[in-house]
């Protein structure tokens, strides 16, 4: 597979080699963030998007590789644009459902909703990359996820934040991280960071949704609209092998 230059117009840093030894059997990709990732994000909510991006490439990239290979076998001669459109439609439909994942009132349910939406969107981006023969298991995809999802403005800042998150992940595995901070404050910060990643347009409205007692389930229209916008940006970037990414939203 080919790879893309970094998005955001920044000089390229030394690029790690693409992952090797992909599984040959069917990949069991989780429909939402796995439990260890939730633990990691709760322990380090400031870097929740970075932790999610790293885990998405590890856990969802191999699925995207297999999907693209299978689709090309089943649809000989299919174009990359058609495959990308198929991926976008599939995950926009899943995004419509993700707003009612928890079905529960209160802060934890809202955080689960936006976390599942951000995960679904990351899964879509990796499938679109695979449709254009861009390696979805390469570490650069985590950088591009954060820029495409407008968590960071340019690739260089995303890459630095991913390095911090990866370092904290290693430290947590060795020593454990963080003290006992108030649960509500942690969950509120986590929800806001994940909402930013998932493309929730109105920050004030999102805060209202994740305060206990407020209406907390994201609307299906908001989910699908944000996911469609992300699909368009992803297709543009990977179709041209990644030259620039739109500026970040300002709530």
């Amino acid at each position: 597979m080919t790879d893309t230059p970094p998005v955001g117009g920044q000089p390229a840093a030394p690029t790690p080699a693409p992952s090797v030894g992909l599984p040959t059997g069917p990949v069991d990709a989780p429909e939402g963030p796995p439990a260890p990732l939730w633990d990691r994000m709760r322990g380090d909510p400031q870097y929740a998007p970075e932790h999610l991006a790293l885990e998405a490439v590890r856990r969802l990239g191999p699925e995207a590789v297999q999907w693209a290979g299978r689709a090309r076998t089943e649809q000989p001669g299919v174009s990359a644009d058609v495959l990308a459109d198929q991926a976008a439609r599939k995950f926009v439909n899943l995004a419509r459902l993700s707003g009612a994942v928890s079905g529960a009132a209160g802060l934890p349910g809202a955080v689960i909703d936006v976390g599942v939406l951000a995960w679904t969107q990351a899964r879509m981006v990796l499938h679109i990359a695979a449709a254009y023969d861009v390696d979805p298991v390469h570490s650069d995809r985590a950088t591009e996820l954060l820029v495409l999802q407008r968590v960071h403005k340019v690739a260089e800042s995303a890459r630095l934040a991913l390095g911090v998150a990866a370092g904290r992940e290693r430290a947590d595995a060795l020593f454990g991280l963080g003290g006992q901070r108030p649960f509500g404050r942690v969950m509120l910060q986590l929800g806001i960071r994940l909402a930013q990643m998932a493309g929730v347009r109105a920050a004030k409205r999102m805060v209202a949704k994740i305060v206990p007692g407020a209406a907390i389930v994201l609307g299906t229209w908001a989910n699908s609209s944000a996911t469609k916008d992300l699909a368009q940006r992803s297709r543009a970037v990977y179709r041209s092998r990644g030259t620039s990414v739109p500026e970040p939203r300002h709530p």
Side-chain angles (χ1 to χ4, degrees), residues 24 79 108 121 197:
T24 56
S79 71
Q121 291 178 346
M197 187 179 194

Side-chain angles (χ1 to χ4, degrees), residues 192-204:
I192 291 171
R193 293 292 285 153
L194 290 175
Q196 177 191 6
M197 187 179 194
V200 178
R201 295 173 184 274
K204 290 181 180 178

Side-chain angles (χ1 to χ4, degrees), residues 27-53:
V27 175
D28 182 19
E31 295 294 325
L37 174 59
W38 280 116
D39 293 340
R40 201 177 306 139
M41 292 191 297
R42 280 197 303 269
D44 193 19
Q46 179 182 355
Y47 287 92
E50 288 78 11
H51 290 301
L52 190 147

